[in-house]
Amino acid sequence: MQRKWKKAATAAMAGAIMAAQALMPVSAAGGSIDADMSTKTPVIRVVVPTQMAVAVNEFEMGDTGSQVTSEEFTMKNVSEIPVNVKVTSTATLGTGVTLVSTKAAAKESTDEESPAMWLAAAAAVADNSGTLEYLGGDAADKTAGALTGSEANVTAFATKDGASTAVQDFYLGAATSATYKAIIGTDAADIGEGADFYKMTSGTITDQDTLDAALEAQDVYTAAAAPVAGTGQALTRIAKGATATHAAGTQYYTMAAAPETYATVAADGTGVYLYIDTATTAAGDAAAFRYAGALSSAKSGWSTTDLSAITINYDITGVTTSAYDEIKDDLVYGYNGEADVITLEDGVLTVKINVADFKDGTLKIGDTVGALNTSAGTWGGEDGAVTFTFNSTWANAIKGQTCEVTVNLKDGTTSYTASFDVAE
């Protein structure tokens, strides 16, 4: 009771004071300050291979189950923040070769004029003490050769607008305890395009006063000596706002606000650039993929005439820690496979599920939801790759629209949903 009374009395007194202030003029002390504004710029680097070998392997030599053999493309994030890595692989095929969506379709094809090839990018699902696995669960054979093409971590190459491509989506967690190096720009070729390179400025910090002034505005980096071509130089970062004692003979650097393009750096034989050299391993910081394939037995003598090249392009984008935390539990060894269960290409939906598990599907445009049935198109496909082909009316109707597709399985609890912005 006592405490309640005290609260009531305090409220009444505050009300009286506020009323009195409203009725009489008052004067008060005050002032203003300028906030110390800055932009925190992360340094990004994902360590990736600088080359990758792929072979057409009709007789599965040393790669049982896969007639396309490849090295493994490994990724390790040593950045200060999480990153999204989108990998686009583009294949150059021989005249007449037809891509199919599953291994079974290639094996069963009897078309001699347009021989079938199943070509896929397979994301690893685990790293077992240095051995990458491509199948999880109770599978006895976890190699890429055991894949069928229906798995969520498999992206089959498809031809669109004249290009045969496979697109994969990876998210890698931030590393910790990054170490930095300074190099001459032309040495960037030894590091690769997966790194941010920031141009460094030296010579402006010459005494304690200029060091103090620099640390009020930005981070400062120090080195025992300037780098020379062919030899990197370790850098130590002094964070903005910290205090440090100026030391004669030490190299002091400040970093540009934005990274340079790789081409600019690699052509600069005199400029000094910062990049992340190493970092401490952290959970979720790695991912990998390789290529796998199957070739129709209707053709013999498969070679690089039929698959002459694969080009890998990767885009690295920083993401916030909170955004990464929202999706990290859905990732499988860094791979965002859920987005690839349903794909839409040229009016055909492909769903990576078995025919026996399929129940039905719906299409949502705006607030309107309709069943995917015979009025809109035709369900078909094969085991591991159920398809829905829109009829011409519906194919035209969805152009320029944002569509949401949901496919339900017979178990009553499992469904997959994907959104697509359909081109005009």
Side-chain angles (χ1 to χ4, degrees):
M1 233 13 222
Q2 183 76 8
R3 292 178 63 192
K4 287 184 180 180
W5 180 86
K6 284 185 177 180
K7 288 182 179 180
T10 301
M13 290 171 63
I17 292 171
M18 294 297 292
Q21 288 180 335
L23 294 174
M24 67 178 69
V26 295
S27 61
S32 65
I33 62 170
D34 291 325
D36 184 9
M37 302 298 296
S38 64
T39 300
K40 292 185 70 65
T41 304
V43 182
I44 290 175
R45 184 187 177 195
V46 176
V47 181
V48 299
T50 56
Q51 60 184 16
M52 186 174 180
V54 181
V56 179
N57 186 8
E58 182 177 357
F59 300 101
E60 302 177 6
M61 297 172 64
D63 197 12
T64 303
S66 181
Q67 292 175 293
V68 174
T69 296
S70 87
E71 293 181 323
E72 289 163 322
F73 187 95
T74 56
M75 294 169 271
K76 186 173 182 62
N77 187 26
V78 294
S79 308
E80 299 172 323
I81 60 171
V83 297
N84 171 218
V85 184
K86 289 189 182 297
V87 180
T88 300
S89 302
T90 303
T92 303
L93 304 177
T95 302
V97 174
T98 300
L99 290 174
V100 292
S101 58
T102 64
K103 180 186 287 188
K107 293 291 189 182
E108 295 166 3
S109 173
T110 59
D111 190 339
E112 297 180 12
E113 298 299 321
S114 299
M117 173 189 291
W118 172 65
L119 178 63
V125 298
D127 182 346
N128 185 5
S129 300
T131 299
L132 292 173
E133 298 177 348
Y134 294 88
L135 279 164
D138 298 326
D141 184 354
K142 298 182 183 294
T143 66
L147 296 166
T148 67
S150 62
E151 297 84 0
N153 60 312
V154 176
T155 304
F157 280 70
T159 299
K160 181 180 180 183
D161 299 330
S164 301
T165 61
V167 180
Q168 298 168 288
D169 200 23
F170 299 90
Y171 287 86
L172 308 179
T176 61
S177 304
T179 64
Y180 308 90
K181 270 191 176 180
I183 58 167
I184 300 300
T186 47
D187 292 334
D190 297 328
I191 300 159
E193 297 185 53
D196 276 347
F197 296 95
Y198 287 84
K199 192 158 191 177
M200 308 297 286
T201 299
S202 65
T204 60
I205 298 174
T206 56
D207 53 27
Q208 189 66 50
D209 289 342
T210 53
L211 175 60
D212 293 343
L215 285 171
E216 288 181 4
Q218 60 195 298
D219 296 344
V220 171
Y221 295 82
T222 66
V228 295
T231 304
Q233 179 65 51
L235 291 169
T236 299
R237 180 170 68 175
I238 307 173
K240 173 187 172 182
T243 58
T245 301
H246 185 271
T250 296
Q251 295 287 324
Y252 290 91
Y253 294 96
T254 54
M255 186 179 80
E260 298 283 356
T261 65
Y262 175 79
T264 298
V265 176
D268 189 348
T270 58
V272 176
Y273 295 86
L274 168 147
Y275 75 101
I276 288 180
D277 183 37
T278 62
T280 302
T281 299
D285 65 357
F289 71 90
R290 59 155 285 180
Y291 300 112
L295 308 173
S296 170
S297 59
K299 171 183 168 61
S300 61
W302 287 87
S303 70
T304 53
T305 301
D306 307 296
L307 174 60
S308 60
I310 297 179
T311 301
I312 303 169
N313 288 297
Y314 52 95
D315 294 317
I316 302 171
T317 306
V319 298
T320 64
T321 301
S322 57
Y324 174 75
D325 287 344
E326 287 182 7
I327 65 167
K328 67 180 182 181
D329 291 339
D330 297 323
L331 303 174
V332 178
Y333 194 57
Y335 181 63
N336 182 24
E338 186 75 12
D340 293 332
V341 174
I342 305 176
T343 56
L344 175 60
E345 296 283 349
D346 297 330
V348 179
L349 285 168
T350 301
V351 190
K352 290 182 180 178
I353 59 174
N354 292 325
V355 172
D357 298 328
F358 169 73
K359 179 183 178 183
D360 56 26
T362 59
L363 175 71
K364 180 180 179 182
I365 300 177
D367 295 326
T368 303
V369 179
L372 289 174
N373 53 29
T374 54
S375 66
T378 306
W379 285 103
E382 58 205 6
D383 205 32
V386 175
T387 63
F388 184 84
T389 303
F390 287 98
N391 59 36
S392 58
T393 300
W394 276 79
N396 289 325
I398 64 175
K399 288 182 178 179
Q401 303 289 332
T402 297
C403 304
E404 183 179 279
V405 176
T406 299
V407 174
N408 303 306
L409 273 58
K410 286 181 179 177
D411 65 13
T413 61
T414 304
S415 64
Y416 297 100
T417 299
S419 295
F420 304 97
D421 292 319
V422 184
E424 291 281 2

